Amino acid sequence: MDNSVTEAPEVPPAREAEAGTPWLDAREQRFWRAHLEVGKLLDHQLSRELHAHNLAINDYEILVVLSESPERRMRMTDLATATLQSKSRLSHQITRMEAAGLVLRQECPGDRRGLYAHLTEHGWETLRKVAPDHVRSVREHFIDRLTDEQLDALYAALAPIAEHLRGLRGRG
C-alpha cells in the first residue's frame, strides 16, 4: 500500500507579494493536506460501511450521544451542540430518525418550548447491533494503522486544538 502524500506545490509568486500573510511552507502544507484528506476519506469509508445498516454517520453519532446520556435522552439544543449541528439541521435529522423509529421527540416538563430527543428501544437495539461493526471499521481504517506511541502523540497534538476550537464555538 502506498502511504505517500502528494507533494504540496510551492506558494505561487503572486501570493508571495502579499505582505504579512503567513503562508504554509511545504512541510506544513503537506501535513495540512494529509489531515484534510484523512478526515474526508475516513468519514467517507465509515459512512459507506454504516450505510449497509441503513444509517448515516450523523445518525450513528446521535444514537451514541443519546445512549450515553441520562435516561437516554437529551435536550435538542444540547444535542445540536454535542453533534456540532445547527438546530435546524438537527431537527431535520431527528425527523428522519423518528420516521425510522430510532428516536422520539418529547416535551420537556416545565418548558413548553423545549424538546428532548429520546432514544427508543429500537434505536438502542440498532446501536447495539451496529456498534461492533463500526468499532471494527474504526480499528481497521484508523486505530490499528498507528502504533501506541503515534496514537499518544496524535492525541497530544490534537487535544489542545480541539479545546481551542470548542472555546471559539458560539462566538461571531
Side-chain angles (χ1 to χ4, degrees), residues 122-138:
H122 175 63
W124 172 245
E125 290 305 319
T126 298
L127 179 61
R128 289 174 40 101
K129 178 181 157 211
V130 174
D133 288 343
H134 182 67
V135 170
R136 277 191 287 277
S137 293
V138 169

Side-chain angles (χ1 to χ4, degrees), residues 51-66:
H51 185 71
H53 297 283
N54 296 313
L55 290 176
I57 200 157
N58 287 341
D59 297 335
Y60 186 81
E61 181 184 19
I62 289 167
L63 294 177
V64 168
V65 170
L66 291 176

Side-chain angles (χ1 to χ4, degrees), residues 91 93-106 120:
S91 181
Q93 184 82 31
I94 293 296
T95 297
R96 287 190 298 276
M97 293 177 75
E98 266 188 307
L102 300 169
V103 298
L104 284 175
R105 285 178 223 244
Q106 297 176 325
T120 63

Side-chain angles (χ1 to χ4, degrees), residues 8-29:
E10 292 187 33
V11 175
R15 290 187 175 174
E16 289 176 5
E18 295 176 27
T21 301
W23 296 109
L24 302 180
D25 64 28
R27 180 177 143 266
E28 293 166 333
Q29 187 72 255

